[in-house]
């Protein structure tokens, strides 16, 4: 809650009273009546208090709960100063009370459905009743029932998933021992035990672990999309506590101390945290700074050991929930366009009804006749439009899942398949989507010599030679004694030109030491009582060794050093061991680690070699960060550019030898900076930068991130289709740029404009002006700079970015990805498609008009949240070019034809009423109307979902065909107006023809006109079809057969003795021929003299 920030009510004697008492005050807009001073004071006080109370109430009603920093006592949730959110996961859209109103609102907020409801309700009024109730209510109830059942099934599934997550049991430590609690019952301040492979239920500070080294690994793929394990470190004070008993779960130690955690307020950034741990029951008090490495965020999974943490954030305040946007009800652009067209039809319907009443002369209760005419012409907007379109969408989804060329594709949202045919912007993730997230070491450059994959054996021979001794040494001790002095001699004389062998040795050693990688071994007898050395020997020779790190680049580098003979065999928080080609063990003590951040773009480590005591500072990072740190050279910039052009991720490696005095001075300053509460990050960075001067450049490495199969041809296909591709990634700028080049997202001859980091309005203005002068170049921008630009120059930035052939946004948070999608939707009004494979892509996928998830290494969270799920990125080409294109064109034809079917019968009704003295009497009643919309014409009309203008192979060969769809020409006011003219022409011909040819009885008019109407519809379907399918022929013949067979049972409408005569046959044939033949002639002439693009390809 906010502290008292509301306006304070002045009391007697306050400034407000003194000013008011100086003359006549204005209260409620009127001059106050002169009176005694006490009366004026009383009136003024009453008015001011009233205004103050209103302000307070308004402030309370509008205020959202403010997120605040907090002090959390270990194991004492009752000491919390405020009430924090419940630790529940909720993905449901409705509850038991809002389900029916919510679903009905979602349906009736569209004009089409609301119109049907009003018309159906009007039939309960006797004066307005036109036909049978079931002809209006049955179709409406069917549509609503299908929708409600579908929503109910989805809601039940969401409820069950939420209940399963919220009911997961966890062990909670209390003074009385260990108890089991549900995830939803966990509170801030609780001490929670999380076992290996168990999901972390809330945001916690890591207090203890069963691992001896005081650290554990967690998997964060469902939080940040990265598949690599992250190393987390327990708070040193609580990890050192003596355990009473053999189990970690024993509570005596944690409850025997009096300690609390100060945590910053909840925020979106999942990569940073600032806090302090304080223990009060000792003298002096113990203070420890807390950072991101001490946190366990919710939705991550413990991968090693058992951990205990104290909960600091729950429920909607956790990082994972703050970065999640809730799914919206997606409505396709085609549905919105049809909704607009139905509004136009309704307007035409009202105008037609007014004209009819006006021609009557507004006689009698004209308003009642007006409403009867509106109901009478209600078939202009047929309710079968919704039924046919929904069934069509389901058919398209079935076709997608059954396509053998894109196996494993799943349609999770069946309401928007047409959106796949209207995409203008494709926003894609990088890691795991465009790339396989598998790194391979490709290049080592020493300045004067460069080694590639075909010359790695030379490096291996140099390493073997540098660690070999003239005499064989079976023991590691002797080997260490012989090899290390030679290394020291080399490194202690930087002025002397070193041999290639010694430079290779130093570079490989630096790569093997400067990282955050930990070797992990399978459990093979490590619990027995053997000595440490025996265990080590057994583990080091184990073939099941795997490496874990927060960056796949680091794993690739360590695997490479292993392949050439220098192997990382053991690592904990304080030490690191390497094995040489001869089998000896080199031990190093880790003094400090400086992790990689997006700001510094480098990581460093200070180690002390146990045998010699030498202290060395190793550092590696991006070339732009390292260029000013290393000693002067003339090759680094050029070689970095060469590797980048090949699509390789580059890292510069350097070192610096430190004396013991230098290191001790640094350690004192570094420890003080880490305990600072204010500007801690800046102070720590300043101390570290004091070391980063005049470092010796060792080498430049190049690592390749392998692309997914067929990424390059797929991106080229999408570009040729007119789709603009934006890559949004959480990775660093250099990596994103490399992948953009190697995947040909940016062509080789295309310039790249890297948007310089900006932090304020002035810098953003200058950089935007510089970018404006560039033409036809790709844009690369970081998430921080993007945020500044959007804050001050949103419209200008989006306008410039949309002109670029490609855009790369790096260091994007999940929330920023979704924000970019929404910006494109708002500023361009074009359809967006987002594709990703990790939990960090869910917000972007849900925000896009069409979300596609890839089921890959990063789990199923993205594919489950998406509208469409595919197994490989290359499948998106066929999904858009073939299925998206066909779905849109088919639905456009189907929607317009169904409306034509309603307009033609309304035109016949208008002609009929105008001839028979403008009577509001229906032309066809009862079963004729139901049969017309169902068994007589439904199958041929619905068979349009099988129609296609070109074969799938042709659509993939000529992606330019896709460009036409984005302009919406298949369903526009122009095409719709053509269908209106066709309907009016055919309706007039059918009705006037029947009236001219009828023989004395009205029943003959109905028989002739209705039969001609059915035949006309069947012929119009044949006219509309572009590629015949055998099911289309079956549908035509089936409908015709059903109609002819039903004639025998429709005695109430047809005279059987008349319809079996020759006059009936020729009259119907003539009318049908006149209504359809001109349209066939026009279609033939148009295809001959102005053929569409697809017909040219077909021929």
């Amino acid at each position: 809650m906010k502290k008292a920030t509301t306006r304070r009510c002045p009391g007697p004697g306050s400034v407000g009273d003194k000013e008011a008492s100086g003359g006549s005050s204005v209260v409620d807009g009127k001059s106050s009546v002169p009176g005694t001073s006490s009366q004026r004071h009383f009136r003024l006080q009453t008015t001011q208090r009233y205004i103050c109370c209103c302000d307070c109430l308004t402030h309370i009603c509008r205020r959202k709960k403010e997120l605040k920093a907090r002090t959390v006592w270990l194991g004492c949730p009752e000491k919390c100063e405020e009430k924090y959110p419940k630790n529940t996961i909720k993905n449901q859209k409705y509850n038991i009370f809002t389900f029916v109103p919510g679903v009905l609102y979602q349906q009736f907020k569209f004009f089409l459905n609301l119109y049907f409801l009003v018309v159906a309700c009007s039939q309960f009024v006797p004066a307005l009743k036109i036909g049978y109730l079931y002809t209006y209510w049955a179709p409406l109830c069917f549509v609503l029932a299908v929708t409600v059942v579908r929503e109910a099934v989805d809601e039940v599934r969401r409820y069950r998933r939420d209940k399963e997550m919220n009911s997961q049991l966890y062990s909670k430590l209390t003074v009385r021992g260990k108890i089991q609690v549900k995830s939803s019952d966990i509170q801030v301040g609780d001490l929670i035990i999380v076992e290996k492979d168990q999901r972390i239920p809330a945001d916690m500070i890591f207090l203890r672990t069963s691992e001896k080294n005081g650290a554990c690994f967690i998997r964060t793929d469902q939080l940040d999309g990265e598949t690599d394990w992250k190393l987390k470190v327990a708070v040193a004070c609580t990890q050192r506590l003596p355990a009473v008993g053999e189990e970690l779960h024993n509570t005596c130690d944690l409850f025997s101390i009096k300690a609390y955690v100060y945590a910053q307020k909840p925020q979106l950034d999942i990569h940073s945290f600032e806090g302090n741990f304080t223990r009060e029951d000792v003298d002096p008090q113990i203070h420890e700074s807390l950072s991101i490495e001490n946190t366990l965020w919710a939705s991550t999974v413990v991968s090693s050991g058992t951990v205990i943490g104290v909960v600091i954030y729950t429920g909607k305040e956790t990082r994972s929930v703050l970065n999640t946007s809730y799914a919206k009800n997606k409505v396709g652009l085609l549905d919105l366009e049809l909704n607009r067209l139905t509004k136009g039809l309704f307007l035409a319907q009202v105008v037609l009804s007014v004209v009819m009443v006006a021609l009557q002369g507004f006689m009698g209760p004209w308003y009642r006749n007006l409403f009867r005419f509106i109901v009478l012409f209600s078939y202009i907007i047929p309710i079968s439009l919704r039924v046919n379109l929904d069934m069509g969408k389901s058919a398209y989804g079935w076709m997608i899942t059954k396509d053998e060329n894109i196996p494993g594709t799943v349609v999770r949202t069946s309401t928007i398949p047409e959106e796949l045919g209207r995409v203008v912007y494709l926003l894609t993730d990088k890691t795991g989507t465009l790339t396989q997230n598998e790194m391979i070491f490709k290049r080592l450059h020493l300045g004067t010599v460069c080694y590639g994959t075909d010359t790695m054996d030379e490096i291996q021979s140099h390493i073997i030679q540098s660690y070999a001794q003239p005499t064989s040494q079976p023991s590691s001790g002797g080997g260490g004694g012989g090899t290390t002095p030679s290394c020291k001699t080399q490194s202690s004389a930087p002025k002397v030109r070193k041999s290639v062998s010694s430079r290779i040795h130093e570079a490989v050693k630096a790569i093997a030491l400067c990282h955050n990688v930990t070797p992990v071994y399978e459990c093979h007898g490590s619990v027995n009582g053997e000595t440490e050395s025996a265990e080590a020997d057994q583990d080091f020779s184990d073939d099941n060794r795997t490496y874990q790190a927060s960056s796949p680049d680091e794993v690739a580098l360590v695997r490479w050093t292993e392949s050439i003979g220098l192997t990382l065999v053991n690592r904990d928080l304080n030490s690191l061991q390497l094995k040489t080609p001869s089998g000896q063990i080199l031990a190093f003590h880790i003094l400090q680690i400086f992790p990689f951040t997006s700001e510094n773009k480098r990581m460093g480590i200070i180690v002390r070699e146990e045998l010699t005591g030498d202290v060395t500072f190793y550092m590696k990072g991006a070339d732009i960060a390292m260029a000013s740190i290393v000693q002067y050279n003339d090759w680094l910039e050029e070689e970095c550019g060469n590797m980048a052009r090949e699509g390789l991720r580059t890292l510069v490696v350097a070192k610096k030898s430190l004396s013991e005095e230098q290191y001790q001075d640094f350690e004192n300053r570094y420890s003080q900076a880490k305990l600072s509460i204010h500007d801690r990050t800046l102070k720590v960075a300043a101390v570290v930068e004091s070391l980063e001067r005049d470092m010796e450049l060792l080498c430049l490495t190049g690592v390749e991130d392998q692309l997914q199969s067929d990424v390059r041809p797929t991106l080229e296909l999408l570009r040729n289709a007119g789709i603009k591709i934006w890559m949004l990634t959480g990775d660093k700028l250099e990596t994103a740029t490399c992948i953009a080049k190697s995947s040909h997202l940016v062509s080789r001859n295309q310039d790249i404009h890297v948007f310089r980091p900006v932090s304020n309005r002035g810098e953003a203005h200058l950089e935007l002006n510089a970018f404006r002068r560039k033409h036809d170049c790709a844009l690369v921008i970081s998430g921080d700079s993007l945020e500044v630009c959007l804050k001050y120059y949103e419209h200008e930035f989006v306008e410039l970015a949309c002109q670029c052939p490609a855009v790369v946004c790096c260091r994007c948070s999940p929330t920023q990805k979704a924000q970019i999608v929404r910006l494109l939707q708002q500023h361009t009004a074009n359809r967006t498609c987002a594709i990703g494979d990790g939990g960090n892509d869910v917000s972007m996928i849900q925000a896009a008009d069409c979300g596609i998830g890839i089921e890959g290494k990063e789990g199923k969270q993205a594919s489950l949240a998406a509208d469409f799920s595919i197994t490989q990125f290359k499948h998106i080409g066929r999904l858009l070019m073939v299925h998206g294109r066909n779905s849109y064109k088919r639905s456009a034809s189907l929607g317009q034809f169904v409306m034509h079917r309603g307009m033609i019968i309304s035109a016949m009704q208008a002609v009929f009423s105008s001839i028979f003295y403008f009577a509001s009497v229906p032309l066809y009643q009862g079963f004729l109307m139901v049969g017309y919309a169902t068994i007589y014409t439904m199958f041929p009309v619905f068979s349009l979902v099988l129609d296609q203008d070109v074969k799938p192979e042709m659509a993939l060969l000529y992606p330019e065909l896709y460009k036409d769809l984005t302009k919406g020409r298949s369903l526009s006011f122009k095409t719709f107006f053509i269908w209106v003219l066709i309907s009016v022409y055919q309706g007039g011909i059918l009705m006037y023809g029947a009236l001219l040819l009828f023989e004395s009885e009205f029943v003959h008019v109905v028989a002739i006109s209705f039969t001609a109407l059915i035949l006309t519809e069947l012929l119009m379907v044949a006219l509309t079809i572009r590629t015949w399918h055998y099911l289309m022929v079956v549908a035509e013949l089936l409908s015709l057969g059903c109609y002819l067979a039903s004639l025998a049972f429709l005695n109430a409408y047809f005279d059987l003795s008349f319809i079996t005569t020759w006059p009936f046959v020729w009259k119907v044939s003539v009318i049908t021929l006149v209504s359809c033949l001109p349209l066939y002639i026009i279609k033939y002439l148009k295809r001959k003299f102005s053929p569409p693009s697809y017909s040219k390809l077909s021929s």
Side-chain angles (χ1 to χ4, degrees):
M1 291 179 61
K2 290 184 179 179
K3 294 182 181 177
T5 56
T6 52
R7 187 168 35 158
R8 182 172 168 272
C9 302
S14 68
V15 175
D17 286 323
K18 290 175 183 177
E19 289 176 352
S21 62
S24 65
S25 64
V26 178
V27 180
D28 292 336
K30 296 180 181 180
S31 178
S32 62
V33 179
T36 63
S37 176
S38 60
Q39 287 176 327
R40 287 199 303 271
H41 283 169
F42 177 76
R43 284 196 298 268
L44 181 63
Q45 280 182 265
T46 305
T47 305
Q48 288 176 324
R49 283 173 181 157
Y50 171 76
I51 295 170
C52 183
C53 290
C54 290
D55 284 350
C56 291
L57 285 171
T58 305
H59 179 73
I60 290 169
C61 293
R62 291 181 179 176
R63 181 185 58 199
K64 288 184 178 179
K65 182 175 173 61
E66 184 187 9
L67 300 176
K68 296 180 66 176
R70 59 200 62 187
T71 299
V72 180
W73 292 85
L74 269 58
C76 303
E78 66 278 358
K79 285 189 177 182
C80 290
E81 300 170 357
E82 294 193 16
K83 187 177 180 181
Y84 298 112
K86 198 175 179 184
N87 193 48
T88 53
I89 293 173
K90 187 177 181 183
N91 292 307
Q92 293 169 254
K93 293 181 184 177
Y94 313 102
N95 58 39
I96 194 169
F97 300 108
T98 60
F99 176 73
V100 174
V103 172
L104 292 180
Y105 168 73
Q106 291 297 332
Q107 293 304 305
F108 291 123
K109 73 178 181 180
F110 290 104
F111 174 79
L112 189 64
N113 296 342
L114 186 62
Y115 167 80
F116 295 144
L117 179 66
V118 173
V119 170
C121 289
S122 71
Q123 295 306 289
F124 288 112
V125 181
L128 303 177
K129 190 172 181 181
I130 297 296
Y132 300 104
L133 279 175
Y134 71 85
T135 60
Y136 293 91
W137 279 100
L140 181 62
C141 290
F142 173 75
V143 171
L144 290 178
V146 170
T147 304
V148 169
V149 169
R150 186 171 60 194
E151 282 291 334
V153 170
D154 290 344
E155 194 68 6
V156 168
R157 286 175 181 167
R158 283 190 286 265
Y159 169 75
R160 286 177 177 170
R161 283 201 299 265
D162 291 348
K163 186 177 180 182
E164 181 184 351
M165 297 294 282
N166 292 326
S167 300
Q168 288 181 354
L169 293 177
Y170 291 87
S171 298
K172 172 183 170 182
L173 294 183
T174 66
V175 179
R176 296 181 297 277
K178 186 173 65 171
I179 62 172
Q180 294 288 309
V181 293
K182 291 182 179 179
S183 173
S184 56
D185 295 332
I186 291 174
Q187 298 176 307
V188 172
D190 283 345
L191 295 174
I192 302 297
I193 300 171
V194 186
E195 306 286 348
K196 183 181 178 182
D197 293 327
Q198 197 173 17
R199 183 184 71 89
I200 295 172
D203 288 356
M204 305 194 299
I205 294 297
F206 184 14
L207 298 179
R208 302 205 65 178
T209 176
S210 58
E211 300 288 291
K212 294 178 181 177
N213 59 8
C216 79
F217 283 104
I218 63 168
R219 297 197 300 271
T220 63
D221 52 337
Q222 296 306 316
L223 182 65
D224 59 12
E226 296 181 6
T227 54
D228 301 285
W229 294 3
K230 306 290 191 301
L231 185 70
K232 296 294 180 177
V233 182
V235 176
C237 176
T238 50
Q239 180 66 23
R240 286 195 302 263
L241 290 174
V244 182
E246 296 181 358
E247 289 190 349
L248 168 79
H249 307 164
N250 198 289
T251 62
C252 297
D253 46 1
L254 282 172
F255 281 96
S256 64
I257 66 171
K258 187 179 180 183
Y260 65 84
V261 169
Y262 173 80
Q264 65 181 164
K265 68 179 182 180
Q267 57 186 25
L268 289 169
D269 190 0
I270 59 177
H271 300 296
S272 68
F273 175 78
E274 289 185 8
N276 282 326
F277 175 88
T278 304
R279 182 177 176 182
E280 285 191 335
D281 59 337
V282 291
D283 191 22
Q285 293 183 355
I286 297 175
H287 299 281
E288 282 191 43
S289 64
L290 301 177
S291 64
I292 187 67
E293 67 179 7
N294 304 116
T295 59
L296 302 171
W297 294 146
S299 297
T300 58
V301 177
V302 177
S303 295
S304 63
T306 302
V307 304
I308 298 179
V310 58
V311 177
I312 55 172
Y313 310 125
T314 53
K316 58 187 179 184
E317 292 183 345
T318 59
R319 292 291 204 272
S320 60
V321 175
L322 287 172
N323 277 282
T324 301
S325 62
Y326 294 98
K328 62 178 182 179
N329 289 312
K330 295 186 179 181
V331 180
L333 182 59
L334 183 99
D335 294 319
L336 298 174
E337 290 170 343
L338 286 171
N339 201 49
R340 284 198 294 271
L341 292 178
T342 53
K343 291 177 183 178
L345 284 174
F346 175 70
L347 189 63
Q349 177 186 348
V350 172
V351 170
L352 185 59
S353 302
V354 171
V355 169
M356 287 293 180
V357 174
L359 292 174
Q360 277 183 335
F362 293 101
M363 296 173 62
W366 62 268
Y367 52 87
R368 189 179 68 187
N369 290 337
L370 175 64
F371 207 93
R372 280 180 64 86
F373 272 119
I374 289 175
V375 176
L376 203 60
F377 295 134
S378 63
Y379 288 101
I380 285 182
I381 310 173
I383 194 168
S384 57
L385 177 63
R386 266 297 305 275
V387 179
N388 277 279
L389 286 175
D390 284 352
M391 290 171 60
K393 294 173 193 288
S394 300
Y396 307 144
W398 183 83
M399 292 174 192
I400 291 171
T401 56
K402 294 298 179 183
D403 190 343
E404 295 177 353
N405 294 292
I406 47 174
T409 303
V410 180
V411 178
R412 302 192 189 279
T413 305
S414 60
T415 56
I416 55 169
E418 300 91 357
E419 294 295 276
L420 293 169
R422 311 287 295 276
V423 174
V424 177
Y425 290 96
L426 176 69
L427 300 104
T428 175
D429 180 38
K430 178 189 71 67
T431 308
T433 303
L434 296 179
T435 68
Q436 298 180 25
N437 203 22
E438 291 180 1
M439 310 298 172
I440 297 177
F441 190 92
K442 288 284 186 179
R443 199 71 51 84
L444 179 72
H445 207 295
L446 301 175
T448 56
V449 62
C450 179
Y451 296 94
T453 50
D454 53 344
T455 53
M456 290 299 175
D457 53 340
E458 292 184 29
I459 299 179
Q460 189 173 9
S461 63
H462 282 300
I463 292 298
I464 292 172
Q465 182 183 353
S466 64
Y467 281 106
Q469 294 299 315
T471 58
S472 62
Q473 296 185 11
S475 67
S476 62
T483 59
T484 309
S486 65
C487 301
K488 187 177 178 182
T489 305
Q490 291 168 0
S491 60
S492 61
K495 301 294 182 184
V496 181
R497 188 172 182 84
K498 300 175 184 175
S499 66
V500 172
S501 181
S502 65
R503 288 162 61 199
I504 290 175
H505 170 260
E506 288 186 16
V508 173
K509 183 179 177 183
I511 294 171
L513 288 171
C514 185
H515 53 71
N516 216 346
V517 181
T518 303
V520 178
Y521 300 93
E522 298 294 330
C523 296
H524 292 293
S526 59
V527 293
N528 55 18
E530 297 177 15
T531 62
E532 289 291 331
S533 60
E535 271 186 14
D537 289 338
Q538 182 183 4
D539 286 342
F540 297 160
S541 61
D542 195 345
D543 295 332
N544 290 322
R545 181 194 300 115
T546 57
Y547 295 111
Q548 291 299 339
S550 59
S551 168
D553 300 67
E554 291 198 322
V555 175
L557 292 172
V558 172
R559 280 182 180 153
W560 174 74
T561 61
E562 180 185 13
S563 70
I564 60 171
L566 196 58
T567 307
L568 174 67
V569 291
N570 191 25
R571 180 183 185 138
D572 55 31
L573 291 178
N574 303 312
S575 65
L576 181 150
Q577 291 181 331
L578 301 178
K579 185 167 71 172
T580 66
S582 59
Q584 67 191 66
I585 301 299
L586 302 178
F588 297 86
H589 185 66
I590 300 174
L591 301 176
Q592 299 288 348
I593 291 182
F594 315 111
F596 178 93
T597 66
S598 57
E599 290 79 24
N600 62 22
K601 296 181 176 57
R602 56 189 181 272
M603 73 85 57
I605 186 171
I606 301 178
V607 296
R608 176 187 283 119
E609 191 166 356
E610 287 192 2
L611 197 63
T612 62
D614 291 342
V615 178
T616 310
F617 174 34
Y618 291 103
M619 176 162 280
K620 71 169 185 280
D623 56 306
I624 56 171
M626 298 290 290
S628 59
I629 292 173
V630 298
Q631 295 170 352
Y632 173 77
N633 62 86
D634 57 358
W635 60 270
L636 181 61
E637 184 179 355
E638 181 183 354
E639 292 305 327
C640 282
N642 292 337
M643 288 192 189
R645 278 186 285 276
E646 295 179 38
L648 299 180
R649 299 152 69 110
T650 57
L651 283 174
V652 179
V653 184
K655 79 165 191 175
K656 184 177 187 179
S657 298
L658 301 176
S659 66
E660 193 63 37
E661 294 77 16
Q662 285 176 313
Y663 173 70
Q664 290 299 332
D665 174 60
F666 165 80
E667 186 182 30
N668 292 334
R669 291 184 289 119
Y670 189 65
S671 300
Q672 290 176 358
K674 283 175 68 176
L675 284 174
S676 303
I677 293 179
H678 301 293
D679 299 326
R680 178 190 298 175
T681 306
L682 293 174
K683 291 177 180 176
V684 168
V687 174
V688 175
E689 283 175 10
S690 65
L691 273 188
E692 298 171 343
R693 293 171 186 161
D694 201 31
M695 297 189 72
E696 180 186 352
L697 175 60
L698 298 178
C699 65
L700 174 67
T701 64
V703 175
E704 181 185 46
D705 187 358
Q706 289 191 312
L707 297 173
Q708 296 273 7
S709 64
D710 293 333
V711 161
R712 291 180 181 127
T714 302
L715 290 176
E716 185 179 356
L717 177 81
L718 297 173
R719 268 202 307 271
N720 291 336
I723 297 174
K724 293 186 177 181
I725 304 162
W726 289 33
M727 186 169 79
L728 313 181
T729 175
D731 220 328
K732 51 185 183 287
L733 186 141
E734 295 76 20
T735 306
T737 308
C738 286
I739 296 301
K741 291 177 179 176
S742 62
S743 66
H744 293 178
L745 177 67
V746 178
S747 58
R748 290 184 181 275
N749 57 356
Q750 210 166 54
D751 290 333
I752 294 180
H753 178 80
V754 178
F755 206 91
R756 287 186 301 180
V758 295
S759 57
N760 56 54
R761 183 170 189 154
E763 291 176 357
H765 180 73
L766 292 173
E767 192 61 23
L768 280 171
N769 283 339
F771 178 44
R772 196 187 300 274
R773 290 190 287 270
K774 299 289 182 72
H775 298 287
D776 192 40
C777 69
L779 172 65
V780 179
I781 187 170
S782 67
D784 296 336
S785 300
L786 177 70
E787 197 169 338
V788 175
C789 290
L790 295 180
K791 183 177 179 182
Y792 299 110
Y793 300 105
E794 180 180 297
H795 180 75
E796 291 83 354
F797 174 79
V798 176
E799 184 182 1
L800 287 171
C802 288
Q803 296 171 5
C804 296
V807 177
V808 177
C809 298
C810 54
R811 284 293 168 194
C812 278
S813 67
T815 310
Q816 277 183 320
K817 290 183 178 184
Q819 184 186 10
I820 292 169
V821 172
R822 285 190 286 268
L823 280 171
L824 287 174
Q825 291 169 338
Q826 292 166 8
H827 288 271
T828 67
N830 289 318
R831 306 319 273 175
T832 58
C833 175
I835 180 169
D837 70 320
N840 61 326
D841 301 317
V842 170
S843 296
M844 170 177 74
I845 286 170
Q846 290 179 338
D849 298 302
C850 175
I852 300 175
I854 297 179
E855 193 172 313
K857 292 181 179 179
E858 298 189 10
K860 293 185 177 182
Q861 192 169 350
S863 68
L864 290 173
D867 306 305
F868 302 90
S869 172
I870 58 179
T871 55
Q872 295 184 56
F873 180 81
K874 66 179 180 181
H875 291 168
I876 194 176
R878 188 175 180 89
L879 191 64
L880 298 183
M881 300 299 115
V882 177
H883 292 287
R885 186 172 182 277
N886 285 341
S887 297
Y888 170 60
K889 292 186 79 73
R890 287 165 175 170
S891 283
S893 297
L894 182 63
Q896 291 178 119
F897 200 94
V898 172
M899 286 192 285
H900 156 75
R901 192 173 62 179
M903 286 187 290
I904 191 173
I905 206 166
S906 297
M908 293 174 71
Q909 177 68 56
V911 172
F912 172 76
S913 295
S914 61
I915 289 176
F916 288 94
Y917 307 105
F918 308 104
S920 54
V921 178
L923 172 59
Y924 306 122
Q925 292 190 1
F927 182 76
L928 287 185
M929 289 306 300
V930 176
Y932 172 70
T934 54
I935 60 171
Y936 296 156
T937 60
M938 181 177 71
F939 298 117
V941 171
F942 187 69
S943 69
L944 290 173
V945 301
L946 300 171
D947 190 23
Q948 61 180 23
D949 51 0
V950 293
K951 293 181 179 179
E953 296 76 18
M954 200 66 71
L956 290 169
L957 189 60
Y958 296 98
E960 290 79 10
L961 290 170
Y962 189 87
K963 283 184 182 178
D964 294 337
L965 306 187
T966 57
K967 299 169 185 173
R969 289 174 179 169
S970 296
L971 178 64
S972 62
F973 280 106
K974 178 185 175 182
T975 60
F976 175 67
F977 185 66
I978 291 171
W979 276 106
V980 170
L981 293 179
I982 292 172
S983 303
V984 171
Y985 165 75
Q986 290 184 328
I989 291 295
L990 292 173
M991 199 63 237
Y992 274 116
L995 289 169
L996 288 172
L997 299 174
F998 86 103
E999 297 178 3
S1000 74
E1001 290 188 28
F1002 177 70
V1003 70
H1004 293 165
V1005 177
V1006 174
I1008 294 172
S1009 63
F1010 192 77
T1011 305
L1013 174 64
I1014 297 298
L1015 293 175
T1016 298
E1017 285 299 294
L1018 297 181
L1019 289 172
M1020 284 301 294
V1021 171
L1023 177 67
T1024 306
I1025 290 171
R1026 290 160 293 201
T1027 306
W1028 282 88
H1029 190 281
Y1030 78 93
L1031 287 176
M1032 295 175 172
V1033 179
V1034 171
E1036 292 267 331
L1037 296 176
L1038 180 64
S1039 295
L1040 183 60
C1042 288
Y1043 178 65
L1044 294 176
S1046 66
L1047 291 177
F1049 307 102
L1050 300 175
N1051 300 330
Y1053 305 102
F1054 300 141
D1055 182 358
L1056 293 178
S1057 61
F1058 173 71
I1059 62 176
T1060 54
T1061 62
W1062 173 247
F1064 174 80
V1065 175
W1066 77 259
K1067 288 176 182 178
V1068 168
S1069 301
V1070 168
I1071 295 171
T1072 306
L1073 199 64
V1074 174
S1075 69
C1076 293
L1077 187 60
L1079 299 176
Y1080 271 83
I1081 294 171
I1082 292 171
K1083 180 181 179 181
Y1084 172 77
L1085 293 174
K1086 185 179 179 182
R1087 283 183 69 95
K1088 187 172 181 63
F1089 296 107
S1090 179
S1093 54
Y1094 67 82
S1095 65
K1096 298 174 187 175
L1097 296 175
S1098 302
S1099 59

